[in-house]
């Protein structure tokens, strides 16, 4: 089909469209919309709404952006609504165009452009007639979703934050601002997951989508937030208490206090496709009925309110109008490509300019907490219970390789967390303290014994020099704080701010094998070892294909309450040290085991920082490494399925899944509970969390002993005591070691041992990080380009710390 014929079809589609809404729009006295701009681009093959920039972690040659490395069929168009004339403003000629935004004067279009041959989107401006193309930002980063601010500066999202999605293979973009010429780039967000689609509200604040998952589900919480243009005053706008919708592409509706947004179902869809939804916050940020769908099909994108009642949006290859009744009218249809981001090409008034409320010369800010006891889900917490706040920081990932946690945790946290220290809480529940700026912080309320009372499960941040106030703990944000004494200021506000009291002599980021296993070795392993297993517990520290037996046993037997990747705002004393039986066992209640004060504090810090296994992101394995170590449990002459199903299935088989073996602790039950919390079936949950490796495989780590195969639980548990076994199984499974099936299992584990010995696992001597981790650390400037892993010393904990510190400045350096 020739170009002229394509254009003719394009124009005919617009001429054939019904014109009722369009005529109403064009004839409105309050409307001056005559033209629109939009772009076309190729599809990208990832289902996630955010995985459309940069490259994939395993292979930097595999591109995530539109076209996935192939030439993009992208153009920027102008279209006259009255004459139905269309023109090409910019032909990307194999490159990519996205996110057009029109300046206040209607004379300049700001957009993201990836020229052919480049892998990065930078910001450009162009005139509506196609003249004066100018590059605004530069560098090997993706700058996307840009808007002009009322003061003339530009706000945009960018991968300059230098981190990867904590549960996927692609890069994160968070908010930055710069001058109109691209100079003076500074960060205005400390998020470690995506910010998306900022828009200026009528009062000058910024409305945007924030994705986060602090000790809660990674697929549930991506809702609407607001902030000032300088990054101060961050506040929830709508939805953060309600899960399973991506609320994105939100923009204000003129003449109202409402916004129009795309509510993309579940964990979001490709290109933000969702239900066009009108949101009002008249009744607060949590009132679900205030979100009203305009249409019951979740395949609309990029809505913009042209008037109070008429909305323009993209729908597959078309630009359409939709009214509040959900009635649709097609403006135009492109013959071959998907249409994106239609925007009115018209002048509009500037919103008020909110002056800066921070001070970029400072590296700290101040928090004022009015009353920690005011909030939701605080039942059972009495005044006077809370004595301190533990200040934690969630830490970004320099690279990631799966939809699961890998070695960071077992079905718990995706992110490492840093313990900064504690601050006091006054008798009236108030606190006032100085905290580092530009860092994602969250808090745990502690009692007089330093045990957890309530966990935040979200994050707060400070712009440099900012003082911010919060009412309480998960407060509703729709009421003013209640004070028992009229006009009495909080006690904490009458003094100078507290400094964070650090835990001197203790690590701020914990690693299980380095920090916790030595404590277990001193106090627990004499009874809980492979040979004795008192209480059927093995707390030895040998290395396995994933977790050590000690870590797997503590987690699987609910000795640690770490949030379990569930929903947010959990009840008091249900997460952390107060809900972890291990803490009381180490305090004298378990056979008089009593650890030292420093050992108790170390375990406390480990649990409150989400009980990680590998305390460095260098321990996160790439896809090849995950496959290699998981294959260690399945040697070439794999006897496990055959023997286990013949000799063990009568007790251990899961009736609903005939091919699944259950081990003594019920990890399957845990998965059922976690799946139910997410509204999923167990199989769906497993595919979501471990798409390349079913979660049930992880429970096998505790059954193998690659150091001494004969001490494997898989052999000792069914072996009679008289023959040196534990005799834990009902009846006698293996009378002696001469049993042919015992020998088959032993041979299989011995073969696995040989394969396992071929590569050092995390924490073993000779372990080395993967090449992608080194690649990114060089790219971020943390390691020099000359670094050679074969020659140079490498400390994974020190390199991670240097990486995190490199992000503390707000300046793009």
């Amino acid at each position: 089909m020739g170009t002229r014929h394509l254009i003719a079809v394009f124009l005919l589609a617009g001429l054939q469209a019904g014109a009722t809404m369009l005529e109403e729009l064009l004839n409105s006295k309050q409307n001056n919309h005559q033209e629109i701009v939009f772009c076309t681009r190729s599809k990208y093959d990832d289902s996630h709404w955010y995985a459309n920039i940069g490259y994939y972690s395993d292979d930097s040659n595999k591109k995530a952006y539109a076209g996935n490395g192939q030439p993009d069929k992208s153009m920027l168009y102008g279209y006259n609504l009255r004459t139905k004339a269309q023109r090409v403003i910019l032909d990307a000629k194999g490159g990519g165009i996205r996110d057009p935004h029109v300046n206040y004067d209607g004379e300049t279009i700001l957009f993201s452009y990836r020229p052919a041959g480049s892998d990065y989107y930078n910001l450009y401006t162009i005139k509506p007639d196609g003249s004066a193309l100018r590059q605004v930002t530069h560098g090997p980063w993706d700058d996307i979703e840009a808007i002009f601010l009322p003061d003339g500066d530009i706000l945009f999202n960018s991968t300059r934050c230098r981190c990867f999605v904590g549960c996927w293979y692609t890069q994160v973009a968070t908010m930055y601002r710069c001058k109109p010429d691209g100079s003076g780039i500074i960060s205005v967000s400390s998020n470690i997951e995506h910010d998306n689609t900022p828009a200026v509200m009528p009062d000058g604040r910024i409305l945007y989508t924030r994705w986060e998952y602090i000790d809660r589900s990674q697929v549930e919480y991506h809702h609407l937030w607001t902030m000032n243009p300088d990054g101060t005053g961050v506040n929830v706008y709508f939805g953060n208490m309600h899960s399973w919708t991506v609320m994105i592409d939100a923009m204000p509706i003129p003449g109202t206090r409402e916004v129009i947004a795309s509510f993309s179902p579940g964990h979001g869809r490709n290109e933000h496709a969702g239900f066009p939804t009108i949101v009002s916050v008249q009744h607060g940020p949590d009132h679900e009925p205030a979100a009203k769908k305009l249409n019951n099909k979740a395949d609309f994108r990029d809505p913009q309110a042209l008037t109070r009642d008429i909305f323009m949006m993209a729908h597959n290859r078309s630009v359409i109008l939709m009214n509040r009744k959900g009635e649709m009218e097609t403006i135009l249809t492109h013959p071959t490509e998907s249409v994106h981001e239609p925007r009115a090409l018209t002048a509009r008034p500037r919103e008020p300019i909110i002056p800066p409320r921070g001070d970029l010369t400072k590296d700290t800010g101040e928090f004022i907490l009015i009353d920690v006891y005011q909030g939701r889900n605080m039942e059972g917490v009495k005044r006077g219970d809370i004595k301190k706040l533990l200040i934690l920081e969630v830490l970004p990932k320099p690279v990631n390789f799966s939809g699961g946690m890998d070695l960071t945790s077992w079905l718990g946290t995706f992110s490492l967390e840093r313990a900064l220290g504690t601050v006091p809480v006054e008798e009236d529940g108030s606190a006032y303290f100085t905290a580092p700026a530009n860092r994602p912080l969250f808090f745990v309320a502690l009692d007089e014994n330093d045990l957890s009372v309530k966990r935040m499960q979200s994050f707060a941040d400070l712009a440099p020099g900012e003082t911010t106030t919060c009412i309480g703990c998960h407060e509703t944000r729709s009421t003013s704080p209640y004070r028992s004494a009229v006009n009495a200021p909080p006690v904490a506000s009458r003094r100078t701010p507290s400094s964070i009291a650090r835990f001197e002599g203790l690590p701020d980021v914990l690693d299980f094998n380095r920090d916790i296993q030595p404590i277990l070795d001193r106090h627990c392993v004499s009874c809980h070892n492979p040979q004795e297993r008192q209480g059927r517990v093995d707390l030895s520290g040998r290395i396995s294909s994933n977790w050590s037996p000690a870590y797997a046993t503590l987690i699987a037997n609910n000795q640690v309450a770490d949030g379990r990747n569930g929903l947010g705002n959990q009840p008091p004393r249900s997460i952390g040290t107060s809900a972890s039986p291990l803490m009381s066992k180490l305090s004298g209640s378990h056979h008089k085991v009593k650890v030292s004060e420093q050992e108790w504090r170390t375990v406390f810090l480990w649990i409150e920082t989400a009980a990680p296994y590998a305390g460095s992101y260098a321990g996160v394995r790439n896809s090849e490494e995950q496959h290699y170590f998981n294959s260690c449990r399945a040697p070439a002459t794999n006897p496990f399925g055959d023997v286990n199903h013949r000799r063990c299935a009568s007790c251990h088989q899961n009736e609903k899944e005939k091919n699944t073996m259950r081990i003594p602790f019920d990890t399957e039950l845990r998965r059922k509970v976690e799946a139910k919390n997410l509204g999923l079936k167990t199989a769906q949950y497993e595919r979501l969390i471990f798409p390349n490796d079913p979660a049930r495989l992880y429970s096998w780590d505790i059954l193998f002993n690659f150091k001494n195969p004969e001490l494997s639980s898989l052999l000792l548990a069914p072996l009679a005591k008289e023959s040196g076994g534990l005799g834990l199984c009902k009846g006698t499974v293996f009378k002696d070691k001469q049993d042919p099936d015992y020998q088959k299992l032993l041979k299989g584990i011995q073969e696995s041992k040989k394969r396992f010995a071929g590569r050092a696992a995390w924490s073993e001597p000779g372990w080395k990080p993967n090449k992608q981790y080194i690649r990114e650390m060089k790219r971020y400037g943390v390691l020099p380009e000359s670094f050679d892993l074969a020659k140079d010393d490498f400390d994974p904990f020190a390199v991670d710390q240097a990486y995190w510190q490199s992000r503390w400045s707000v300046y793009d350096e």
Side-chain angles (χ1 to χ4, degrees):
M1 185 179 290
T3 301
R4 291 183 179 179
H5 186 58
L6 284 175
I7 293 175
V9 172
F10 193 178
L11 293 175
L12 181 61
L15 289 169
Q16 290 176 338
T20 305
M21 275 184 271
L22 182 57
E23 287 181 348
E24 179 184 341
L25 180 70
L26 293 175
N27 295 331
S28 171
K29 294 181 180 180
Q30 289 76 34
N31 175 65
N32 60 349
H33 300 109
Q34 301 292 325
E35 291 192 322
I36 64 171
V37 295
F38 63 93
C39 62
T40 59
R41 58 177 175 268
S42 301
K43 294 181 179 180
Y44 63 95
D45 61 9
D46 198 301
S47 62
H48 296 88
W49 91 89
Y50 55 83
N52 55 11
I53 49 176
Y55 53 85
Y56 286 87
S57 56
D58 270 321
D59 182 2
S60 60
N61 292 316
K62 182 182 179 183
K63 309 305 179 184
Y65 51 74
N68 298 107
Q70 299 300 313
D72 195 351
K73 301 173 182 178
S74 189
M75 291 188 179
L76 181 64
Y77 287 98
Y79 185 83
N80 189 294
L81 296 175
R82 192 172 295 279
T83 66
K84 297 179 172 51
Q86 159 263 309
R87 66 186 184 280
V88 175
I89 299 174
L90 178 65
D91 182 347
K93 298 181 179 179
I97 296 171
R98 55 175 293 171
D99 312 320
H101 171 82
V102 179
N103 201 357
Y104 292 96
D105 60 9
E107 297 296 327
T108 303
I109 302 168
L110 173 66
F111 64 103
S112 295
Y113 179 34
R114 182 183 54 78
S118 169
D119 289 327
Y120 304 102
Y121 290 98
N122 287 135
L123 301 185
Y124 285 72
T125 58
I126 196 170
K127 295 297 182 182
D129 62 2
S131 65
L133 177 66
R134 180 176 66 90
Q135 186 170 356
V136 178
T137 61
H138 302 77
W141 314 104
D142 286 295
D143 302 325
I144 60 173
E145 300 175 341
I147 59 172
F148 282 107
L149 295 172
D151 64 1
D153 281 1
I154 296 171
L155 183 72
F156 60 101
N157 286 311
S158 179
T159 57
R160 297 168 190 270
C161 58
R162 305 189 301 280
C163 62
F164 274 68
V165 173
C167 62
W168 203 236
Y169 305 79
T170 53
Q171 293 152 81
V172 167
T174 60
M175 281 187 291
Y176 286 74
R177 66 178 290 168
C178 67
K179 299 298 182 183
D181 63 359
S183 64
I185 297 176
I186 61 170
S187 169
V188 292
S189 170
S190 67
N191 198 0
I192 66 168
E193 302 298 341
H194 276 278
D195 300 323
N196 281 102
T197 59
V200 183
M201 298 181 68
D203 61 5
R205 289 180 299 155
I206 304 301
L207 176 67
Y208 66 102
T209 299
R210 174 168 121 173
W211 180 26
E212 48 143 296
Y213 40 98
I214 311 296
D215 300 324
R216 58 180 181 171
S217 167
Q218 84 280 19
V219 295
E220 299 277 324
Y221 297 95
H222 5 57
H223 299 111
L224 299 179
W225 291 70
T226 60
M227 69 174 191
N228 297 324
D230 65 347
T232 61
V234 174
N235 210 333
V236 65
Y237 183 78
F238 187 80
N240 193 44
M241 295 296 294
H242 305 297
S243 62
W244 213 232
T245 299
V246 176
M247 302 176 185
I248 201 163
D249 290 309
M251 299 181 74
I253 299 174
T256 75
R257 298 181 64 185
E258 302 168 316
V259 302
I260 179 77
S262 173
F263 274 32
S264 197
H267 190 37
R269 295 184 179 179
N270 184 287
E271 292 285 15
H272 308 181
F275 304 102
T277 304
I278 292 177
V279 178
S280 170
V281 294
Q282 181 180 358
H283 299 289
D286 306 319
H287 188 62
E288 286 189 283
K292 300 184 183 300
K293 296 178 185 176
L294 297 183
N295 192 288
N296 288 323
K297 291 185 178 180
D299 54 3
F300 300 92
R301 307 184 306 275
D302 316 313
Q304 181 185 24
L306 300 182
T307 70
R308 180 189 179 280
D309 299 309
I310 298 178
F311 311 98
M312 179 172 61
M313 60 194 75
H315 183 234
N316 300 323
R317 293 184 291 110
S318 299
V319 176
I320 69 162
L321 298 178
M322 183 180 291
N323 61 22
R324 286 181 179 253
K325 297 178 181 180
E327 297 169 335
M328 296 185 297
E329 180 180 310
T330 301
I331 297 177
L332 59 89
T333 299
H334 194 279
T336 59
E337 302 304 319
S338 294
V339 172
H340 299 275
E341 295 103 26
R343 296 293 180 250
L345 183 56
T346 184
R348 68 189 192 282
R350 294 177 186 266
E351 300 85 3
I353 296 174
I354 299 177
R357 297 180 178 178
D359 182 349
L360 293 179
T361 66
K362 297 182 178 180
D363 58 8
T364 62
E366 295 176 354
F367 281 107
I368 300 176
L369 171 64
I370 294 177
D371 185 358
V372 72
Y373 298 101
Q374 291 193 43
R376 291 167 291 196
N377 211 3
M378 294 288 286
E379 290 78 8
V381 180
K382 301 176 183 177
R383 287 200 170 272
D385 283 356
I386 298 171
K387 304 298 182 181
K388 299 176 184 176
L389 293 181
L390 174 65
I391 314 300
L392 301 173
E393 176 187 4
V394 62
L395 299 167
K397 271 185 178 176
V399 70
N400 192 60
F401 304 99
S402 73
M405 302 83 170
D406 193 48
L407 296 189
T408 303
S409 75
W410 180 15
L411 296 182
T413 183
F414 283 85
S415 304
L416 294 173
E417 298 170 2
R418 183 202 307 276
L420 275 67
T422 62
V423 296
V425 173
E426 304 293 345
E427 287 299 316
D428 66 343
S430 64
Y432 179 29
F433 57 97
T434 301
N438 202 38
R439 312 253 292 269
L441 307 177
F442 64 107
F443 316 129
V444 180
L446 303 178
D447 64 17
E448 61 184 356
N449 298 312
D450 277 5
L451 298 178
S452 59
V453 176
K454 183 72 173 178
R455 195 171 181 91
M456 186 168 168
Q457 295 188 270
S458 183
F459 78 87
D461 57 358
L462 293 164
E466 178 186 9
T467 297
T468 193
T469 303
C470 55
I471 295 173
C473 192
H474 290 276
E475 74 278 4
T476 64
R477 302 192 184 225
S478 59
T479 60
S480 59
Y482 169 78
R483 303 291 304 170
S484 56
V486 178
N487 297 324
V491 171
S493 68
R494 305 175 206 172
R495 56 169 171 77
T496 58
S498 303
S499 297
I500 297 174
R502 305 191 179 279
F503 300 103
E504 299 297 338
L506 294 173
D508 57 358
V509 180
L510 282 289
D511 176 82
F512 184 84
N513 291 323
R514 182 193 65 186
D515 302 312
I516 304 303
Q517 188 61 52
I519 299 173
L520 301 179
D521 290 341
R522 288 191 290 270
H523 297 281
C524 308
V525 173
S526 60
C527 295
H528 303 296
N529 56 63
Q531 294 93 332
E532 296 187 35
R533 292 179 195 270
Q534 293 189 22
R536 300 191 178 189
V537 170
D538 179 8
L539 295 179
S540 60
R542 69 179 185 275
I543 305 301
S544 187
S545 54
N546 288 293
W547 328 113
S548 70
Y551 181 84
T553 298
L554 290 174
I555 298 298
N557 285 283
N558 297 306
Q559 295 302 298
V560 174
D562 62 345
R564 291 291 85 201
N565 191 231
L567 301 184
N569 196 14
Q570 293 297 309
R573 302 183 176 93
S574 63
I575 301 177
T577 47
S578 63
S580 298
L582 178 62
M583 294 303 295
S584 61
K585 285 182 169 65
L586 297 178
S587 300
S589 68
H590 181 69
H591 300 287
K592 299 182 180 181
V593 172
K594 182 74 172 178
V595 299
S596 69
E597 182 177 344
Q598 185 173 29
E599 289 172 326
W600 186 94
R601 182 62 69 185
T602 301
V603 177
F604 161 89
L605 289 173
W606 174 65
I607 293 175
E608 293 299 350
T609 56
Y613 182 66
S616 165
Y617 288 133
V620 175
R621 302 167 301 182
N622 64 27
S623 297
E624 186 277 328
E625 291 171 319
Q626 293 179 48
H627 176 76
Y628 177 89
F629 283 107
N630 289 328
S631 70
C632 291
R633 297 167 300 191
T637 58
N638 187 348
F640 304 130
D642 171 58
V643 174
N644 288 337
H645 282 283
R646 283 190 293 102
R647 304 295 294 271
C648 310
S650 60
C651 293
H652 295 286
Q653 181 168 278
N654 174 0
E655 291 300 323
K656 293 184 179 180
E657 295 183 64
K658 295 296 183 181
N659 294 323
T660 300
M661 298 299 297
R662 291 175 57 196
I663 58 178
F665 47 80
D666 196 350
T667 55
E668 184 184 344
L669 177 61
R670 296 178 69 85
R671 295 198 306 277
K672 285 182 178 179
V673 172
E674 290 155 2
K676 184 178 180 181
N677 286 340
L678 298 179
L680 301 173
K681 295 180 179 179
T682 305
Q684 291 174 317
Y685 174 79
E686 289 178 352
R687 287 195 297 271
L688 179 67
I689 301 300
F690 293 105
N692 299 320
D693 185 34
R696 58 176 169 266
L697 291 181
Y698 279 70
S699 63
W700 285 76
D701 288 328
I702 199 171
L703 301 182
F704 293 92
N705 189 324
F706 292 130
K707 184 177 182 180
N708 190 337
E710 291 194 3
L711 295 182
S712 296
S713 299
L714 191 63
L715 296 175
L716 290 176
L719 181 63
K721 289 184 179 181
E722 296 77 12
S723 298
L726 296 172
L728 296 177
C729 294
K730 295 179 181 178
T732 301
V733 179
F734 299 141
K735 181 179 179 180
D736 54 44
K737 297 180 180 180
Q738 282 66 51
D739 188 297
D741 284 337
Y742 176 95
Q743 289 297 318
K744 285 183 180 180
L745 293 179
L746 176 59
K747 182 179 178 181
I749 300 173
Q750 289 171 336
E751 288 185 25
S752 293
K753 174 186 176 180
K754 292 178 182 178
R755 180 168 175 79
F756 183 76
R759 187 181 298 186
W762 171 253
S763 297
E764 282 193 309
W767 168 89
K768 293 184 182 300
N770 57 62
K771 62 183 180 181
Q772 292 90 346
Y773 177 91
I774 298 299
R775 177 195 71 204
E776 296 303 322
M777 288 304 189
K778 287 183 177 181
R779 181 169 180 252
Y780 303 152
V782 176
L783 291 175
E785 282 295 330
S786 61
F787 178 83
D788 185 344
L789 193 59
K791 300 177 181 178
D792 299 326
D793 292 336
F794 179 81
D795 180 344
F797 305 107
V799 173
D800 266 13
Q801 292 281 3
Y803 160 67
W804 295 323
Q805 290 176 24
S806 74
R807 291 171 34 97
W808 289 355
S809 172
V810 297
Y811 295 99
D812 180 43
E813 299 173 337

